[in-house]
Amino acid sequence: MIADERFDRWMRALEARHLADLTFPEVSRALRALSSAYVERRARLDAGTALAGAGKRAAFALFYGPLHYLLIREIVRAVPGATQPGPGEAGRPGRPRTNVLLDLGCGTGAAGAAWAAAFDEPPEIIGIDRHPWAIAEAGLTYRELGLHARTRRGDVAGAQFPKSPTAILAAFTVNELADAPREALLRRVLDRAADGDRVLIIEPIAGFVAPWWDRWREAFVAAGGQDDQWRIRVELPAIVAKLDRAAGLHHEELTGRSLWLPGQT
């Protein structure tokens, strides 16, 4: 499949770029140091702590980026309507074609790229993140996967939303926000879903990571959405599996939980 071929090319480009000036042991040591800060305290990314140093940046891109791509790819394949044309997109009246995917807190771009690539006709991606290195890496991700995209440095809470119809993604991002901006974002995405936009929120499965989750889940379900937990077995790329073993992280399965709003038709 074309999507798999693009993924393989992206993985080769990642490995060549991030191991050009670093040895595998250096990256695996950085991954061990990064894993606690990233998995348990991802808000530190904005302060630059988690991505301080070439080793941690390489580990973030070469390990977590592919894991996120594979997880989100399987989620959007499974969630009803996540990649299918809405009513009116094949000549029927109703919601027009989704033409923009807004990736809030895009990181290296892997999550947004996975969703966009799953569409028969991928939408343009707009990736927003506060970290300058992440924005630069996201641009490479989109280009290497053959996706049309723009990147913008900025805060998720104050991000300008494009005109509808839009697919809105926040993967491993909402937990970074303080309470007031998070509540404001919830109201914004609920309003956009009421206007027809699709919204997908993804966070780690561990409850302590996102104590606000119940509030969002209730709001999404009340608006006609759904919440799911995921445990997915996939074949990891060779370099990711090697890093996983070296760092002792044991990703026998990919896990996460999601909130989905299909938008009103």
Side-chain angles (χ1 to χ4, degrees), residues 45-251:
L45 172 63
D46 288 336
T49 303
L51 297 183
K56 288 183 179 179
R57 291 193 292 269
F60 186 87
L62 192 54
F63 185 77
Y64 284 112
L67 290 184
H68 290 171
Y69 185 101
L70 293 170
L71 175 64
I72 276 67
R73 184 186 68 182
E74 297 306 312
I75 289 175
V76 298
R77 286 175 174 177
V79 170
T83 64
Q84 299 300 314
E89 294 185 11
R92 301 185 299 274
R95 186 173 62 215
R97 182 180 302 277
T98 297
N99 50 29
V100 177
L101 192 157
L102 179 64
D103 190 355
L104 298 170
C106 64
T108 66
W115 191 6
F119 282 85
D120 287 339
E121 295 185 25
E124 178 189 28
I125 304 171
I126 299 176
I128 299 176
D129 202 286
R130 293 180 62 183
H131 199 287
W133 173 84
I135 284 293
E137 187 71 21
L140 293 172
T141 294
Y142 302 141
R143 183 165 67 249
E144 288 162 357
L145 286 164
L147 298 166
H148 181 50
R150 291 177 284 152
T151 56
R152 183 187 310 156
R153 187 179 178 189
D155 292 330
V156 168
Q160 181 178 359
F161 284 14
K163 294 181 179 179
S164 294
T166 301
I168 300 171
L169 173 66
F172 309 104
T173 295
V174 176
N175 199 53
E176 297 177 7
L177 302 177
D179 291 344
R182 185 185 302 121
E183 185 68 18
L185 180 61
L186 174 59
R187 292 193 296 270
R188 293 182 72 190
V189 298
L190 291 174
D191 288 345
R192 292 298 295 251
D195 288 338
D197 287 348
R198 309 175 193 189
V199 182
L200 179 62
I201 309 295
I202 299 170
E203 289 288 344
I205 205 166
F208 72 90
V209 176
W212 48 269
W213 187 262
D214 287 345
R215 158 73 174 143
W216 279 60
R217 179 179 61 206
E218 292 170 0
F220 269 59
V221 171
Q226 67 185 64
D227 71 289
D228 297 283
Q229 290 193 3
W230 306 93
R231 294 185 179 276
I232 299 169
R233 288 189 173 271
V234 298
E235 182 179 355
L236 298 179
I239 186 62
V240 177
K242 186 177 179 181
L243 283 167
D244 195 50
R245 292 191 299 270
L249 296 178
H250 308 296
H251 281 83

